[in-house]
Amino acid sequence: MENFVHNIPTQLHFGKDAIACLPEVIGRYGKNVLLVYGGGSIRKIGLYDRIMDLLKDCNVVECGGIEPNPRIESVERGSVLCKENHIDVVLAAGGGSTIDAAKAICVGAYFEGDDYWEIVTTKGVKRKALPLVDILTLSATGSEFDGGGVISNLKTNEKMGNSFTYPSVSICDPQYTYSVNAYQTAAGSIDIMSHVLEGYFSRNEGVDLSDGIAEVILKSVIRNLPIALKKPDDYEARANLMMASSVACSGIPEYGKTYSGWVCHGLEHELSAWYDITHGVGLAIVTPVWMRYILKKDPSITPRFVSFAKNVFHLEDEDDTKLAYKGIDELEKFFTETGIPMKLSQLGIDDVHFEEMAQHVNRTGRLSNASVSLTEEDAVNILRMCL
Ligand code: NZQ
Ligand code: ZN
């Protein structure tokens, strides 16, 4: 088992009306609040009014209009607002895009250069950041319980993750996710699954707790996503998806395991950078193709796929290779049944930029260092198979 450090400083308030703690939580940091939100869903669900009511004694400056796949220009806009208004605390209300942008804004508030893209490309530094509180409205990315954020630059066709800051407090009320449509509910749930699948196929055997947590998260999503799709206001289903969201991307399901490269996320971020697609949909398309590809390329990884087929889908077969492929087929069937597109061509994507994507994703060696080492040519092959 590999060494690991557990260090998640976020306080998570989970459950019905968890938002009631907001005045006390914001009061810990000050009265000048930057409210960051997206395209308006928080108004439709009454969350905007509730926030304004709870924060009536604060000075709330608004930074709305954060895009899905948030742009660096929005980060700059929010950062400037923080500087101009002496903001004490940033409050993000929305999904992963809003929370990610808010994280970068918390860092951008102290940025002194001209090109805000530098805060995304500069790695490995401990950031000075404003405190961040968030109210989660979409179960997917785990941004409410990790320190990372993913920001897009349309000028350079880059979408890059970096570690910015952990939320000080995350408020997670599953009722706010009742209004998430079927497409985003499916995409978000597949993102949750992908966060544990990426680490699950690293080579370590016998890390029982991490593998067990990953399997339980997968089984929970497999059980609860169809319920949430059928009955969007099913509290238990939405609550299970929300809990799974926070733990899946927290690092916990990978404790004791070797870093696996997160190849599907790498490839998906390239696709979104060029085509602005929904993250979870890209993952749903890439993941089964990548699985079959690595299994064929290096059959020594078969035991991991056998565990996946047995423990997640309860499949049996005397032939391990057949069992491994059965598990992948079952996963693909589950994704397909949610009704999202399962081919890149359905999203209007062709192979024109695949070589550039493969080079860009491997700039830090994440393909070559993956649990099954891949070349840039392999990445292009995988993307072509997704068309
Ligand atoms: O913009 P609004 O009006 O909020 O609408 C959003 C958006 O259109 C809508 N939505 C959110 N909550 C809703 C709702 N609609 C109705 N009712 C609600 N309660 O859903 C749409 C998608 O929202 P978005 O925030 O983009 O989705 P998600 O949470 O999936 O975030 C995706 C972004 O997070 C990044 C992705 O790459 C992508 O940029 N990721 C962040 C990670 C992290 N911070 O750790 C890890 C992930 O792997 C991922 O890369
Ligand atoms: Zn993801």
Side-chain angles (χ1 to χ4, degrees), residues 48-65:
Y48 176 88
D49 288 342
R50 186 81 202 279
I51 291 170
M52 288 307 192
D53 185 43
L54 287 167
L55 298 186
K56 54 181 178 299
D57 296 330
C58 295
N59 311 314
V60 180
V61 176
E62 294 190 33
C63 178

Side-chain angles (χ1 to χ4, degrees), residues 331-379:
L331 183 73
E332 190 174 50
K333 184 164 153 264
F334 177 75
F335 290 168
T336 307
E337 282 172 359
T338 66
I340 58 164
M342 287 298 289
K343 293 280 172 204
L344 292 181
S345 50
Q346 291 172 273
L347 305 175
I349 296 176
D350 59 25
D351 64 358
V352 177
H353 299 295
F354 285 176
E355 264 97 15
E356 282 162 276
M357 292 181 191
Q359 277 166 19
H360 192 259
V361 75
N362 201 31
R363 68 199 178 284
T364 53
R366 75 193 278 179
L367 293 178
S368 23
N369 296 330
S371 38
V372 168
S373 177
L374 296 173
T375 62
E376 289 168 22
E377 197 187 340
D378 289 325

Side-chain angles (χ1 to χ4, degrees), residues 141 191 195 262 265 279 283:
T141 63
D191 189 24
H195 294 153
W262 281 55
H265 268 69
H279 176 60
L283 291 170

Side-chain angles (χ1 to χ4, degrees), residues 58-335:
C58 295
N59 311 314
V60 180
V61 176
E62 294 190 33
C63 178
I66 303 295
E67 315 81 3
N69 298 328
R71 314 279 151 79
I72 189 60
E73 289 80 6
S74 297
V75 172
E76 178 167 352
R77 180 164 55 91
S79 305
V80 171
L81 283 172
C82 288
K83 291 174 188 171
E84 287 174 351
N85 295 283
H86 309 289
I87 293 297
D88 300 311
V89 52
V90 175
L91 172 63
S97 294
T98 294
I99 302 175
D100 283 6
K103 286 177 179 175
I105 289 169
C106 288
V107 171
Y110 292 101
F111 180 67
E112 287 174 354
D114 295 324
D115 182 5
Y116 280 74
W117 188 236
E118 274 177 36
I119 67 172
V120 181
T121 52
T122 310
K123 304 269 179 185
V125 286
K126 187 154 170 37
R127 309 306 186 94
K128 189 168 181 202
L130 282 172
L132 172 67
V133 174
D134 68 78
I135 303 167
L136 181 66
T137 65
L138 200 168
S139 305
T141 63
S143 191
E144 70 279 11
F145 205 49
D146 71 22
V150 187
I151 306 297
S152 292
N153 187 335
L154 296 192
K155 289 194 194 109
T156 57
N157 289 113
E158 286 176 293
K159 176 176 176 179
M160 286 170 61
N162 202 354
S163 112
F164 293 112
T165 186
Y166 277 85
S168 301
V169 178
S170 288
I171 294 171
C172 302
D173 182 342
Q175 296 173 114
Y176 291 136
T177 66
Y178 288 171
S179 54
V180 179
N181 66 25
Y183 188 83
Q184 292 293 344
T185 299
S189 299
I190 291 166
D191 189 24
I192 296 170
M193 295 175 82
S194 176
H195 294 153
V196 297
L197 289 169
E198 295 277 21
Y200 190 80
F201 292 97
S202 93
R203 292 300 183 127
N204 317 64
E205 291 293 339
V207 189
D208 295 349
L209 185 65
S210 298
D211 279 344
I213 291 170
E215 288 161 0
V216 166
I217 288 173
L218 292 169
K219 286 193 281 191
S220 175
V221 176
I222 290 166
R223 198 169 71 78
N224 289 291
L225 171 59
I227 301 172
L229 290 176
K230 214 168 166 185
K231 189 169 175 294
D233 61 351
D234 187 297
Y235 182 81
E236 296 303 321
R238 292 292 193 180
N240 274 300
L241 291 175
M242 200 170 239
M243 278 178 88
S245 160
S246 303
V247 181
C249 204
S250 65
I252 293 171
E254 284 171 283
Y255 284 174
K257 303 190 69 159
T258 314
Y259 180 64
S260 63
W262 281 55
V263 170
C264 297
H265 268 69
L267 292 174
E268 195 295 313
H269 285 169
E270 296 301 320
L271 290 165
S272 317
W274 284 89
Y275 296 99
D276 199 18
I277 64 172
T278 299
H279 176 60
V281 172
L283 291 170
I285 296 171
V286 169
T287 302
V289 175
W290 164 79
M291 286 177 157
R292 291 191 188 99
Y293 197 94
I294 63 167
L295 187 54
K296 188 167 177 207
K297 181 163 185 185
D298 184 356
S300 71
I301 198 161
T302 304
R304 296 299 310 156
F305 280 93
V306 166
S307 302
F308 172 68
K310 279 188 178 164
N311 299 344
V312 177
F313 287 112
H314 309 293
L315 299 170
E316 294 292 340
D317 200 300
E318 281 170 15
D319 181 325
D320 277 357
T321 304
K322 279 192 191 150
L323 185 53
Y325 281 105
K326 268 190 191 175
I328 302 170
D329 292 346
E330 203 64 26
L331 183 73
E332 190 174 50
K333 184 164 153 264
F334 177 75
F335 290 168

